[in-house]
Amino acid sequence: MKKDLKTKLVNRKIKKPNTFLMFIVMRLLGILNKAYKVKFKYDFDPKSIKKGPVILLSSHASRLEFIYMLYGFKRNDVNMVCGYQNILKKGIYGLFIKLGVISKYLYQPDIICTKNILKLLKNNGTIGIFPEGIQSTSGSTQPINPATAQLIKKSKATVVVSTSKGAYLATNRYSKDRKKGYIGIEYSLVFTPEALESLTEEEIYSKLLEKIKYNDFEYNKTARNIYIGKKPNAFGIDKILYKCPDCNTEYNLYVEDDLIICKHCGLKIKVNEYYDLERINCNKLPIDIDQWYKWQRRCVVNEINDDNFELTLSGTLATLKLDKIRKEPKNREILSIGTATLNRQRLIFEGLLNGEEIKFDFNAKSLYSLTLSTKGYLEFYYNNDYFLLIPDNPNQCLIKWTLASEEIHNLYDEKWKSACADVYEYNKGDIYE
């Protein structure tokens, strides 16, 4: 029986990157980093860890973070870990295979991925991991699964942490427009194999979180770096901000030039070249974009306490075709066309396919997140399968679905809830100037 792409990808024998190809890739990354004027800092001599197993853990503030962190690490033998849906793309798949990219089911326990990592490390390999899994939505640290500490403990490797400053502001989550402005990458040697022997998993997790934490909006209050692109810095921000801080209505925010405006109460807030929020016409001015976003999360936490909480949208449920690589959107297999409903227990999709009624039922305990894609749909893993939830309205604001699905999952998962509490500031007080 012919194996599908997913089976081939997950079960293949992982090799170290092709040396010649990696040489070419690093030269190209060097050109990009020079163009982006990225600055690198180290608290150790990179030449001192040219041998032995190494893990490079990087923050994920920017969608281009791999360009910065990989080049600055100055190694040609790094096997990167990547979400499997990002590998199954035309023009990328073959290249990633030759570069030894390791596929990972995001959020899900992935035994095969862990085994591949440990096997490469045993052979003195170097592994690159984004422990947050996905790019930050609001410019600050996303949750890190405490199981990462278990992997580090088992690895007996040298562990380096790479953290960015300004990377989110140059390439934020809500717009494809790249801004000109400062990007700094700092490398820290955090653990040696000898140190790992005496540290507990809890101590490793705490130290990792301390080193990898970032908040670009807070950072730039002091740094005062200017970020300018083809579009104003407010462009697209209504994809991640949906609740007005003045009147508390939802889905009434829109963007006009560099202004965030509420259709209901007339609130007007300017996003300037530093990403500061400036009061034009509002009673309550949030401290910054990240604090505004986290306030929305706290509002959702309160809402899902209601047994009747529910979100619905009309759209299409799809997955990836696994017979051969195709360009998007031809790579999608439509599973059903109908209505999605999210409540405290599950995500349900009821619809039709070829005239036949089809229902999908996803339990909240196994559904970590309906993650907002920059392409205007929600994506999620469920039992190691990848799905897309595509709304009929391409301009529909979906971020509340992301927040609600994550917080509903936390009702059933104390460990992940604790990891979220480490970064999301649930007990934060007043967020206003």
Side-chain angles (χ1 to χ4, degrees), residues 42 44 49 53-59 65-66 68-75 78-81 117 121 125-131 148 152 155 157-163 185-190 208 212:
Y42 308 84
F44 66 100
I49 55 169
V54 179
I55 296 177
L56 172 61
L57 299 167
S58 175
S59 58
E65 203 94 353
F66 74 96
Y68 316 139
M69 60 86 86
L70 191 57
Y71 177 76
F73 197 48
K74 303 183 184 299
R75 294 282 293 260
V78 182
N79 290 84
M80 294 296 301
V81 177
I117 290 172
L121 290 172
T126 303
I127 306 295
I129 303 174
F130 295 103
T148 306
I152 292 171
S155 73
T158 299
V159 180
V160 175
V161 172
S162 163
T163 307
I185 308 295
E186 299 181 1
Y187 296 85
S188 295
L189 201 165
V190 181
L208 168 60
I212 210 166

Side-chain angles (χ1 to χ4, degrees), residues 304-305 344 406-414 417:
I304 65 170
N305 287 328
R344 281 168 50 93
E406 291 172 353
E407 294 306 327
I408 287 171
H409 174 81
N410 286 347
L411 296 174
Y412 306 94
D413 189 338
E414 286 297 325
K417 182 178 180 180

Side-chain angles (χ1 to χ4, degrees), residues 132 141-144 161 163 191 203-214 418-419 421-423:
E132 296 166 272
T141 320
Q142 303 266 101
I144 295 174
V161 172
T163 307
F191 303 113
E203 289 171 330
I204 292 170
Y205 171 78
S206 179
K207 185 69 173 178
L208 168 60
L209 191 60
E210 174 193 333
K211 282 293 183 180
I212 210 166
K213 266 193 172 182
Y214 60 91
S418 177
D422 288 335
V423 296

